[in-house]
Amino acid sequence: MAQQHLDPTNPLTGPAATGDALAGYLRAQATEFLRALRLHRETGSGASGSEGSAEAARALRRSARRISAGLHTFQSLLDSDWCEAMRPELAWVSGTLAMEHAYTARLERLLTALHRLSGSTALPGQTAGTAAGRADAPAGTRADSTAGTRADSTASGRADSAAGGRSGPAAGGRSGPAAGGRTGPAAGGRTAAAAPLPQRAAARDAGPRSPSAPERGNLTVGAAKAGALLDRQLTLARTRAHSTALQALGSSRFHAVADKVAVLASEVPLTRAAASTDLRPLAAAAQDRLADAVAALPLVTAGNPYNAAALVHGLSPDTVPHPQDAPWHQVRLLLRLHRYAREAVNGPKGNAVVDLRLLSAGRALNRHRDASEAAAAAAQAARTPRIAPATAYALGVLHADQRHEVEAARFAFQQCWQKETVRTS
């Protein structure tokens, strides 16, 4: 049975909004675009741009998306030639400014997932200064067997994590079960396997081991190399996106767009019949397109947690994105158009009426998009030639984890979309 929640008003059934309301909405968004552009120029846009510059870029994207959505939904009330020429330019502005932020968020998402999957809660920058202080932790280090010698805490202070962190046959033996192959403070800084039985008993009785082995800050060799590879690739992509954005903002193409937006802030090219035309049928048409797209989604499958449907075609050799993600991405775009149409119907105040179901569904679809693109980035990194098997394995685990995140986002969308809206007026 579908759940219900209250929605105080329905903007599509209130007082009729006409072309004048659309003109006010477009003028307000054009003004926001120009204000964000001025703020972006004042705060600087260099390689070390401030947080204010990043926020100005986000404001530019928001206003550009809303203007473009208004031109798309209510095109019949506007000059068609002007709309057809303006919409691609606004999409170019929004897409170009979004790439740098997307690469930054994708890298952070993947590195966080790597540490979570490795049992570590700290990011690489947080473990650099504390690595030397983990040598004597009971659950932190193991004997260094690659060099064929025992780990001596008075000489080296820690085990060699780059060598895999385990005692191997090359060391001439193996760690005893009482010590678990770890260095112990009660053993005088030597491995418990080499200590006499009384010392091993003392190490065992010195106190319980910390059960939080996942709290170690060091990654395995494969995960560390996978993180380094992702960092190189995505940082390079982010740098290129930043340069592309700077070039775009200084190009004649962008200045032409800014000039048209400036004209829009004072004069909206409405048709003659727009002043007396109701906006609600056009907004309802956008809602119907969204409903049809949602009806085509496999919501029954998405409603079953852990259905593993998002992992289908996970080993496909194709480098294109998952074809099963495309309908969900399309629903995300249609949901955005529907939200913006509601804003336009409400007048210049924007989103005066908030539908909690739409907001929750939008957040779930944003998570879906982010996880899908992160999984694609992990798969692309795994195709790098001549990488170590341990690195490829870590990237494969990371890819599967992000595909599970895709599945979780679909489940969350299904849960919130099945809620029925109860009107109170």
Side-chain angles (χ1 to χ4, degrees), residues 121-205:
T121 58
L123 291 176
Q126 297 171 320
T127 61
T130 60
R134 299 179 180 269
D136 295 332
T141 56
R142 298 177 184 269
D144 180 6
S145 59
T146 305
T149 60
R150 299 185 179 94
D152 189 351
S153 62
T154 60
S156 62
R158 61 181 176 182
D160 186 0
S161 60
R166 298 182 181 272
S167 299
R174 61 181 180 180
S175 301
R182 304 175 187 265
T183 59
R190 306 179 68 84
T191 57
L197 290 177
Q199 293 185 3
R200 271 190 275 176
R204 184 178 61 249
D205 298 335

Side-chain angles (χ1 to χ4, degrees), residues 151-418:
D152 189 351
S153 62
T154 60
S156 62
R158 61 181 176 182
D160 186 0
S161 60
R166 298 182 181 272
S167 299
R174 61 181 180 180
S175 301
R182 304 175 187 265
T183 59
R190 306 179 68 84
T191 57
L197 290 177
Q199 293 185 3
R200 271 190 275 176
R204 184 178 61 249
D205 298 335
R209 290 185 183 276
S210 173
S212 59
E215 292 300 324
R216 65 185 184 276
N218 296 329
L219 296 175
T220 61
V221 176
K225 290 185 176 180
L229 178 60
L230 290 169
D231 185 43
R232 288 196 302 270
Q233 292 183 348
L234 293 179
T235 300
L236 177 60
R238 183 189 62 80
T239 303
R240 290 175 175 172
H242 181 77
S243 301
T244 301
L246 291 181
Q247 294 175 0
L249 291 175
S251 64
S252 58
R253 180 181 180 183
F254 177 79
H255 287 295
V257 175
D259 291 341
K260 292 181 180 180
V261 173
V263 173
L264 180 64
S266 58
E267 181 182 356
V268 179
L270 295 173
T271 61
R272 294 181 178 179
S276 59
T277 302
D278 192 353
L279 300 181
R280 292 175 299 179
L282 297 175
Q287 183 177 2
D288 293 339
R289 288 191 294 268
L290 171 63
D292 294 340
V294 172
L297 294 178
L299 292 184
V300 176
T301 302
N304 297 321
Y306 309 108
N307 56 72
L311 295 174
V312 178
H313 305 299
L315 296 179
S316 173
D318 296 335
T319 58
V320 297
H322 278 251
Q324 61 171 291
D325 294 344
W328 296 86
H329 296 332
Q330 181 65 17
V331 168
R332 175 178 168 272
L333 296 178
L334 292 176
L335 178 61
R336 177 178 290 174
L337 289 176
H338 172 50
R339 284 181 49 231
Y340 295 163
R342 287 167 58 97
E343 293 181 6
V345 171
N346 288 334
K349 293 183 179 179
N351 196 16
V353 178
V354 178
D355 190 336
L356 297 180
R357 187 180 71 155
L358 293 182
L359 293 180
S360 300
R363 284 193 292 264
L365 292 176
N366 287 338
R367 286 174 48 203
H368 180 276
R369 186 271 316 270
D370 295 341
S372 174
E373 294 179 349
Q380 182 64 30
R383 297 187 183 97
T384 303
R386 297 182 298 278
I387 60 175
T391 306
Y393 175 78
L395 291 170
V397 172
L398 183 60
H399 174 268
D401 173 75
Q402 293 303 301
R403 293 307 300 177
H404 279 296
E405 291 290 331
V406 168
E407 179 183 310
R410 293 177 182 176
F411 176 77
F413 174 82
Q414 190 271 348
Q415 292 294 301
C416 68
W417 193 257
Q418 293 302 319

Side-chain angles (χ1 to χ4, degrees), residues 82-99:
W82 183 83
C83 289
E84 290 296 333
M86 191 66 173
R87 280 174 49 204
E89 298 303 298
L90 292 171
W92 167 72
V93 171
S94 178
T96 302
L97 295 178
M99 292 308 298

